[in-house]
Amino acid sequence: MSETFKLTIKGTVQGVGFRPFIYTLAKKYNLKGTISNNSNGVEILINLTNIKDFIFSIEKNLPSLAKINSIEIENINYIEFKDFKIIDTKNMGDIKSNIPPDISICKECEKELFNLNNRRYGYPFITCTNCGVRYSIIYDLPYDRAKTSMKKFKMCKACEAEYNNPLNRRYHAQPIGCWDCGANLSLWDKNKKLIINNEKLIDNVVTLIKEGHILAIKGVGGYHLVCDANNKKAIQKLRDRKKRPAKPFAIMVKDIEMAKELVYINQKEKELLISKEKPIVLLKAKKIDKDIAPNISKLGIFLPYTPLHLLILKELNSPLVATSANITDEPIATTTDDIKKLSNIYDYLVDNNRDIVNGCDDSVVMVIRNQTIFIRRARGYTPISIELPYKLDKKVLAVGANQKNTIAIGFDNKVILSPHIGDLDGIKSIEYFKDNIENLKRIYRFKPEIVVYDRHPNYESSKYAKSLDIEGKEIQHHYAHILGVMAEKGLTKKVLGVAFDGTGYGDNGKLWGGEFLICNYKGYKRVAYIKYFKLLGGAKAIKEPKRVALSLLFDIYGENALNLDNPTIKAFTLKELKTQYLMWKKGLNSPLTSSMGRLFDAIASLTDICQVMSFEGESGIRMEEYYNKDIKEFYSFNFIDNQIDISPIIENIVQEKNKVVAISKFFNTLVEIIFTIYKEHNLPLVLSGGVFQNRVLLELILDKIPTAIINNQIPPNDGGISLGQVVSTLSIKKS
Ligand code: ZN
Ligand code: ZN
Ligand code: FE
């Protein structure tokens, strides 16, 4: 006996081929009823004899982009249906459905792309309901072609027929088009002269790459700068023009086989590489490539994620350097105007006429002890919501930190994170930051009731938050780091949080960064921290490890440090040393800090691995190269009240002439410090802060304390601050 059921399905179920999927399923089993989108997701009314079987086939055959968060089933009064129908979208007043992220081309589209008999053969924007751009082209919800940057392309008859056929893979696929009606590519030289804009374009592009030119290529969420990864001269040219002397470049390879020639890949890493999100994955290099990643045995590898990338890589058949196109301190270039400002960097431009509405960088991840660690969360993952195990009391806007900024909005039990916005150091970046807030507010019809910001008075994000005319809440940086982990893991009980990072503004006005905090949602207690040292030279010290090391030497040896036979001392002239000593003595431009990131820098200087950094995080990443796991010893350290006195470590390292021994023992010592404090408090151990992106450190801790918890959905670096800020508004009374 058939009954009528009403199913309310929530999650990522719009714009992902969900309705045609249910339609096809219903047709297959000759079921009758309706399906429609509504503000909560989709609603199905259907006559069934066995609801369990039906739910089972939905869950088993779910379209690749769809994600179900919940299914509510209601047995309602019997309705007589003649057939199964997709009905028009209901009122979308209060948007709760998720916007699908931009994902990579699917297998079926890839097959068609290379099929000579297909009408979209070689079409660089081929897509369907299971793949392609979404977030980056959306102006507003409901997700409909008229509210995307596809609105200017009028579909041809053939495309329209596919679009309107519920049994077609392109049914209501908003970004579809073809050679006759969709977006098209154009190739320009740097003087803005059009070279070509037809099917032959790919051959031209590949020839130019092979000739050693630098090309700017418009992708999904912005432009890339690319060149031949086997051409030293081209890479050097790109480094010179981009003023990026040593920072590693990411490499796009044709397929896994090509990746395997460059790097080692385990199962989990392979899954990430070929996933529909196609992030850049940091992998162990088979040999150090001194052009692409000088002094570092890691490479950032990703696979082609658009039809255009596939066409180029297949023809090129060798690795391609691909880096985000942006002016230093500015966000990724997303418009033709933006990219033209970079014409001093590229030789040729591959542009297209599909506008990027929401900019989005490539995501960057790595795998440590089988856990995914995000370095940057953006394309493919944005704006997937992070589900909280509890409901938020208010609608929250969180504006994040100042570096690696992301912003977040929170409502009900959801947090939507913006893509990686970047460092808020310039006017353009601050504008981009504000745009991201406005975009999320508009798309989600979101009106914040409270804004949360970092305590740091000089953060641009905090200044912006304070300018808003709503309730504000200030939150300490490292506490937010730990709350971020608690939020994504649904932890509600007290934890011991270890926040190791560069620097964050402390409650006492000092620059914190080596913190042990006992946290719950009500607040935190600082139970231990690295004993303060002087950040000699202030902001300069952040880029020059030798200044931090010198400061630590002065702390121990006073003026006698000048006589030490040590790489740090040798990195200065005698005159500089004398000035620095006076500054240290008087405490001029020398704020006090407990930063673990700066301590890493100091060790890198003392062991002569890095005196001046050419990119952020260089010292730590290069120290990884010197770790020897057969060295088990560690240095002694002292606790003075709740301060961790590191001077014995420094003294020992000054005596040690073998840098492998020094570095290995240093890493072991950090693990020992964490373990000692962990034992003392016997609470769940939570790790966060950019320092935990150090592979050696994180591996060692996870080996020693396998229950340690770290971020897996958001970056442990400042990109994760906004999530922590959101949940700081909770009034959970449990502890
Ligand atoms: Zn597809
Ligand atoms: Zn068409
Ligand atoms: Fe931080």
Side-chain angles (χ1 to χ4, degrees):
M1 178 59 197
S2 164
E3 298 169 90
T4 303
F5 290 92
K6 179 174 149 185
L7 276 64
T8 309
I9 305 182
K10 294 181 189 174
T12 307
V13 288
Q14 294 182 4
V16 290
F18 193 78
R19 289 179 304 163
F21 156 66
I22 297 292
Y23 179 90
T24 313
L25 203 65
K27 289 279 161 190
K28 188 172 162 195
Y29 295 107
N30 198 23
L31 302 169
K32 292 175 175 132
T34 62
I35 180 167
S36 57
N37 279 343
N38 67 16
S39 60
N40 286 311
V42 297
E43 183 183 287
I44 302 170
L45 297 176
I46 192 162
N47 292 339
L48 290 167
T49 46
N50 188 332
I51 180 81
K52 268 194 193 153
D53 281 0
F54 184 64
I55 302 281
F56 180 76
S57 10
I58 294 181
E59 285 175 341
K60 199 177 148 215
N61 304 302
L62 208 60
S64 55
L65 295 190
K67 189 180 157 236
I68 293 179
N69 294 338
S70 69
I71 306 182
E72 253 172 63
I73 304 163
E74 214 182 319
N75 198 332
I76 58 169
N77 286 340
Y78 190 77
I79 307 173
E80 183 80 41
F81 292 108
K82 286 200 184 67
D83 52 9
F84 195 89
K85 264 199 183 121
I86 297 176
I87 53 174
D88 273 347
T89 296
K90 285 191 180 171
N91 172 32
M92 302 285 288
D94 185 18
I95 306 294
K96 293 205 176 70
S97 187
N98 295 339
I99 300 168
D102 302 299
I103 48 113
S104 57
I105 177 172
C106 72
K107 282 284 159 230
E108 282 165 299
C109 284
E110 184 177 339
K111 246 188 228 155
E112 292 176 355
L113 179 67
F114 294 108
N115 177 1
L116 263 168
N117 300 318
N118 191 282
R119 69 185 190 93
R120 290 191 182 87
Y121 171 71
Y123 181 59
F125 301 94
I126 188 170
T127 183
C128 72
T129 33
N130 301 321
C131 73
V133 290
R134 295 289 186 276
Y135 169 74
S136 62
I137 59 161
I138 293 180
Y139 291 108
D140 202 353
L141 283 187
Y143 176 53
D144 192 18
R145 189 162 170 121
K147 292 187 173 169
T148 71
S149 57
M150 288 304 293
K151 70 177 172 192
K152 68 178 175 191
F153 304 103
K154 192 178 169 349
M155 274 184 275
C156 70
K157 283 269 172 329
C159 285
E160 203 168 3
E162 292 171 315
Y163 184 88
N164 288 321
N165 176 4
L167 293 176
N168 193 284
R169 205 174 88 241
R170 297 199 164 87
Y171 176 73
H172 281 200
Q174 310 305 346
I176 65 164
C178 69
W179 287 111
D180 293 332
C181 70
N184 57 317
L185 291 177
S186 50
L187 173 64
W188 308 75
D189 72 10
K190 61 156 87 198
N191 301 318
K192 300 170 190 130
K193 198 172 136 252
L194 182 67
I195 298 175
I196 194 169
N197 63 353
N198 62 22
E199 292 97 294
K200 296 272 184 302
L201 187 142
I202 301 294
D203 292 344
N204 280 261
V205 166
V206 170
T207 306
L208 291 170
I209 294 169
K210 281 183 180 158
E211 284 173 2
H213 295 293
I214 295 166
L215 276 73
I217 301 180
K218 190 174 182 179
V220 168
Y223 289 81
H224 280 132
L225 293 166
V226 312
C227 72
D228 179 355
N230 290 327
N231 186 328
K232 288 177 197 303
K233 270 191 190 156
I235 297 168
Q236 194 51 50
K237 190 163 71 174
L238 181 56
R239 288 204 178 281
D240 293 344
R241 291 184 186 172
K242 216 176 178 234
K243 298 190 180 64
R244 179 163 154 158
K247 192 176 175 188
F249 285 126
I251 307 283
M252 189 181 274
V253 291
K254 189 176 74 169
D255 49 27
I256 288 284
E257 296 318 305
M258 192 180 274
K260 280 181 180 163
E261 288 168 21
L262 303 170
V263 288
Y264 299 97
I265 308 168
N266 68 27
Q267 186 54 31
K268 174 114 180 169
E269 289 163 340
K270 182 180 165 187
E271 283 164 18
L272 282 162
L273 280 170
I274 62 175
S275 69
K276 61 184 191 297
E277 291 84 7
K278 299 260 178 351
I280 295 171
V281 185
L282 297 185
L283 297 159
K284 174 108 185 91
K286 293 202 164 158
K287 66 173 187 14
I288 289 186
D289 186 317
K290 62 182 185 0
D291 303 301
I292 289 163
N295 301 314
I296 296 166
S297 62
K298 272 197 242 180
L299 282 176
I301 301 283
F302 59 151
L303 297 189
Y305 55 88
T306 68
L308 173 61
H309 296 146
L310 273 175
L311 291 165
I312 294 173
L313 265 296
K314 196 156 177 170
E315 182 76 26
L316 183 69
N317 202 22
S318 67
L320 189 67
V321 167
T323 184
S324 293
N326 66 305
I327 298 173
T328 310
D329 294 337
E330 285 197 7
I332 185 167
T334 57
T335 66
T336 305
D337 281 347
D338 290 344
I339 197 66
K340 280 182 179 165
K341 287 184 202 145
L342 293 172
S343 59
N344 57 332
I345 300 181
Y346 62 80
D347 303 307
Y348 295 91
L349 166 64
V350 182
D351 213 350
N352 74 60
N353 55 347
R354 184 181 69 197
D355 295 335
I356 295 169
V357 180
N358 302 305
C360 202
D361 265 289
D362 292 316
S363 293
V364 185
V365 300
M366 59 181 171
V367 175
I368 294 186
R369 292 290 182 257
N370 222 31
Q371 297 197 46
T372 305
I373 307 292
F374 276 86
I375 310 291
R376 190 201 283 161
R377 185 183 187 271
R379 179 186 48 78
Y381 301 95
T382 307
I384 296 176
S385 63
I386 290 166
E387 307 288 325
L388 304 173
Y390 34 69
K391 269 199 162 184
L392 293 164
D393 307 311
K394 287 181 179 165
K395 291 186 177 173
V396 193
L397 167 66
V399 295
N402 210 65
Q403 310 304 119
K404 301 184 180 62
N405 178 276
T406 61
I407 61 119
I409 58 171
F411 49 91
D412 299 337
N413 67 334
K414 274 179 206 251
V415 184
I416 316 277
L417 244 73
S418 73
H420 165 85
I421 292 171
D423 300 348
L424 306 183
D425 291 337
I427 294 165
K428 273 269 184 186
S429 306
I430 298 165
E431 262 172 38
Y432 187 61
F433 157 82
K434 290 179 187 168
D435 287 349
N436 266 278
I437 294 176
E438 291 310 316
N439 290 350
L440 285 187
K441 275 166 69 179
R442 185 183 63 249
I443 297 173
Y444 286 91
R445 311 272 195 277
F446 180 81
K447 208 170 172 274
E449 293 162 341
I450 183 168
V451 58
V452 190
Y453 53 92
D454 195 278
R455 284 208 97 138
H456 202 302
N458 298 332
Y459 276 10
E460 292 299 334
S461 50
S462 303
K463 288 186 206 164
Y464 167 83
K466 287 178 200 167
S467 76
L468 298 178
D469 194 19
I470 51 170
E471 184 190 345
K473 180 171 178 160
E474 200 172 79
I475 180 104
Q476 202 278 325
H477 186 92
H478 302 97
Y479 177 42
H481 269 305
I482 302 303
L483 282 177
V485 185
M486 292 173 69
E488 69 161 273
K489 303 289 177 178
L491 306 176
T492 50
K493 300 223 171 77
K494 220 196 273 183
V495 302
L496 172 66
V498 185
F500 283 176
D501 68 356
T503 51
Y505 195 80
D507 284 340
N508 54 4
K510 296 187 170 65
L511 299 172
W512 296 7
E515 311 302 314
F516 292 78
L517 312 171
I518 290 183
C519 302
N520 63 14
Y521 290 99
K522 276 193 288 187
Y524 70 91
K525 187 173 167 232
R526 191 185 192 204
V527 289
Y529 56 94
I530 301 295
K531 187 169 171 270
Y532 295 120
F533 50 91
K534 288 174 185 163
L535 201 53
L536 193 52
K540 261 191 187 165
I542 292 172
K543 291 190 174 147
E544 300 187 9
K546 61 180 185 180
R547 291 175 189 270
V548 189
L550 186 62
S551 167
L552 288 168
L553 292 177
F554 286 149
D555 280 346
I556 296 168
Y557 305 99
E559 202 170 0
N560 290 332
L562 272 52
N563 307 318
L564 290 172
D565 172 27
N566 179 277
T568 300
I569 299 296
K570 285 181 192 145
F572 292 92
T573 64
L574 188 60
K575 198 176 151 215
E576 282 170 339
L577 286 170
K578 287 189 167 153
T579 330
Q580 293 300 315
Y581 178 69
L582 283 176
M583 280 181 56
W584 173 84
K585 208 173 160 189
K586 291 183 181 163
L588 290 176
N589 196 13
S590 304
L592 287 176
T593 185
S594 55
S595 163
M596 181 54 74
R598 295 295 83 80
L599 181 57
F600 265 77
D601 291 352
I603 306 301
S605 164
L606 293 170
T607 50
D608 210 18
I609 290 169
C610 183
Q611 301 296 352
V612 175
M613 291 198 279
S614 76
F615 61 92
E616 196 228 332
E618 182 181 359
S619 62
I621 229 171
R622 290 182 57 187
M623 279 162 71
E624 291 178 24
E625 305 291 331
Y626 294 88
Y627 185 76
N628 180 342
K629 62 178 173 12
D630 296 328
I631 298 171
K632 303 287 181 198
E633 297 89 21
F634 54 90
Y635 294 121
S636 61
F637 50 90
N638 299 323
F639 284 99
I640 305 167
D641 297 328
N642 57 352
Q643 298 179 42
I644 304 149
D645 176 19
I646 49 158
S647 50
I649 305 174
I650 305 299
E651 281 173 280
N652 275 296
I653 288 179
V654 169
Q655 303 302 319
E656 179 60 67
K657 295 297 166 203
N658 181 329
K659 55 179 98 174
V660 171
V661 173
I663 296 297
S664 305
K665 287 170 94 172
F666 171 69
F667 274 113
N668 294 341
T669 311
L670 294 185
V671 177
E672 216 43 46
I673 291 173
I674 292 174
F675 188 69
T676 307
I677 299 172
Y678 166 67
K679 278 283 140 202
E680 186 187 328
H681 293 281
N682 201 22
L683 288 168
L685 183 69
V686 167
L687 313 169
S688 195
V691 171
F692 287 109
Q693 287 171 173
N694 188 288
R695 173 178 289 275
V696 170
L697 178 64
L698 189 54
E699 281 179 354
L700 289 172
I701 292 171
L702 291 174
D703 290 347
K704 180 107 180 172
I705 312 168
T707 54
I709 307 162
I710 182 154
N711 307 91
N712 298 128
Q713 294 186 62
I714 56 164
N717 63 42
D718 283 4
I721 287 285
S722 59
L723 176 63
Q725 290 176 338
V726 168
V727 300
S728 74
T729 60
L730 275 178
S731 55
I732 286 188
K733 293 288 173 266
K734 273 187 273 176
S735 68

